[in-house]
Amino acid sequence: MEQEDHELFLPLVEEENICLPLPINVVSRYWNVELPMAEAIETAKKYSGSDGSILIEGIELAERHGLICKTIHSSLNELKKIIDMGIPPIVILPGIPEITQHASIITGYNDKEKTIFHYIQKGNQEGEQQEGAIPHDIFEKEWSEEGKLLIILAPSDVLSSLKLDNPFDDKSTRLCFISEKQNILKNTSEAHESLKQSLEIDPNNPTTLNLLGAISNTQNSSDCVKYYKKCLEINDKSYLSYNGLGNYYLKTNQFEKAENCYTKAIEINPKRSAKIYKNRAYLREKQNKNSDAKDDLKNYLKYYPKAPDRGIIEQAIREL
């Protein structure tokens, strides 16, 4: 019996900008909406010196040109339902070391092989779409770190027939993306206000809680602890919340608590950040756990081979 096809074919696109991230551009082209790069370049001027993409700017650009967006926390079953409706969803996944997150387009799935397909920017020599396959369990594990965040971008007539599991999630989560934009622009009070509004709409939004924790942590406020802990009650796979808690406890010289939080983050994803190993090595050395500290410094260099402080770290390893 021939297996049902669960694949979407997207156009090959290479043009991107911090205010028109590649996934937004690709999905827009899929719907035959060509977003003007000149508009994105003009918007990007206010983010001079910023690293990474500002997803909400790309979303708002797509909306100005006729598409509708939903930003939600989802599930694997709902993801498959969206694909089967012919909609290519964008998911937020953990970044490679020292990059917090990245957005990826999901192009299909295969239940028999238990794999999820995601879009790869470069095509093959014939100009056809290339896909990467991720095993279900690995995809779900990594997606869980970001609270299973998902972005749907489609024409209004397509979205009108989509029944979401949690239709009220969109407004609260949208404010999180707006808050991140304000934070990049160093509008801290506006960023905080967006998150307060988000929390009023949905007090259990894990993304909101983690971002509130991060802002409070930056301000050295102990409020970050309650936000991170509430986030972890809802999503115990939140790497960023464990890491944030560890950073706060490190700053406040609560070394044992910091070490425990870093260890839990590393258990969730040992490859996500190199810096976390350096932080934990510092804590362990302070607690006279020199052998463990040495192992952590080796892992720091393993995951960050081009570390600017490599020479200092190698010297520290020899001395431990």
Side-chain angles (χ1 to χ4, degrees), residues 112-244:
K112 186 178 179 182
E113 296 181 3
K114 296 193 181 307
T115 51
I116 299 290
F117 304 125
H118 68 100
Y119 179 90
I120 295 175
Q121 185 171 357
K122 301 291 183 184
N124 59 24
Q125 291 181 342
E126 287 76 37
E128 295 175 347
Q129 172 183 313
Q130 277 193 321
E131 293 173 329
I134 311 171
H136 269 183
D137 55 345
I138 292 175
F139 172 78
E140 190 148 29
K141 180 178 178 293
E142 293 192 351
W143 193 26
S144 294
E145 288 182 44
E146 308 309 319
K148 298 187 177 178
L149 263 178
L150 183 144
I151 298 166
I152 307 167
L153 199 62
S156 58
D157 59 332
V158 174
L159 274 187
S160 65
S161 58
L162 174 62
K163 302 294 182 250
L164 295 170
D165 293 345
N166 183 2
F168 306 106
D169 190 25
D170 172 47
K171 201 167 186 181
S172 176
T173 303
R174 172 77 170 233
L175 284 161
C176 294
F177 284 94
I178 292 169
S179 172
E180 287 186 307
K181 175 181 82 168
Q182 295 293 354
N183 215 24
I184 292 166
L185 291 169
K186 303 195 185 307
N187 298 330
T188 308
S189 59
E190 289 90 339
H192 198 262
E193 184 56 36
S194 292
L195 293 175
K196 280 173 60 182
Q197 290 176 27
S198 173
L199 205 63
E200 285 169 9
I201 296 166
D202 181 2
N204 294 314
N205 187 323
T207 304
T208 311
L209 291 161
N210 179 67
L211 289 174
L212 276 168
I215 284 183
S216 301
N217 205 351
T218 302
Q219 297 169 340
N220 297 319
S221 168
S222 61
D223 284 349
C224 72
V225 174
K226 70 178 180 184
Y227 292 128
Y228 285 138
K229 285 187 173 181
K230 181 72 183 292
C231 176
L232 288 164
E233 284 174 18
I234 299 159
N235 177 22
D236 63 359
K237 297 290 187 289
S238 177
Y239 178 100
L240 294 176
S241 288
Y242 275 123
N243 188 44

Side-chain angles (χ1 to χ4, degrees), residues 17-21 24 35 39-40 43 46-47 52-64 69-71 90 92 103 151 153 170-185 194:
N17 174 279
I18 63 166
C19 291
L20 179 48
I24 303 291
L35 301 178
E39 196 174 332
T43 305
K46 65 184 178 183
Y47 296 100
S53 300
I54 297 92
L55 270 170
I56 191 66
E57 290 287 7
I59 289 168
E60 290 174 349
L61 177 60
E63 288 176 330
R64 288 197 292 274
C69 180
K70 298 286 184 186
T71 54
I90 299 169
I92 306 300
I151 298 166
L153 199 62
D170 172 47
K171 201 167 186 181
S172 176
T173 303
R174 172 77 170 233
L175 284 161
C176 294
F177 284 94
I178 292 169
S179 172
E180 287 186 307
K181 175 181 82 168
Q182 295 293 354
N183 215 24
I184 292 166
L185 291 169
S194 292

Side-chain angles (χ1 to χ4, degrees), residues 40 62 202 213 259 273:
D202 181 2
E259 183 183 356
S273 169

Side-chain angles (χ1 to χ4, degrees), residues 228-287:
Y228 285 138
K229 285 187 173 181
K230 181 72 183 292
C231 176
L232 288 164
E233 284 174 18
I234 299 159
N235 177 22
D236 63 359
K237 297 290 187 289
S238 177
Y239 178 100
L240 294 176
S241 288
Y242 275 123
N243 188 44
L245 264 177
N247 291 342
Y248 177 75
Y249 289 138
L250 172 62
K251 287 189 293 185
T252 52
N253 296 320
Q254 299 178 68
F255 293 155
E256 191 174 336
K257 285 184 177 180
E259 183 183 356
N260 289 339
C261 289
Y262 286 145
T263 298
K264 284 176 180 174
I266 289 166
E267 285 169 358
I268 291 168
N269 189 336
K271 299 178 181 178
R272 182 159 180 173
S273 169
K275 188 180 178 183
I276 195 169
Y277 288 102
K278 186 165 77 166
N279 286 352
R280 193 173 67 170
Y282 170 80
L283 295 166
R284 286 176 160 178
E285 187 188 359
K286 289 287 183 186
Q287 297 174 85

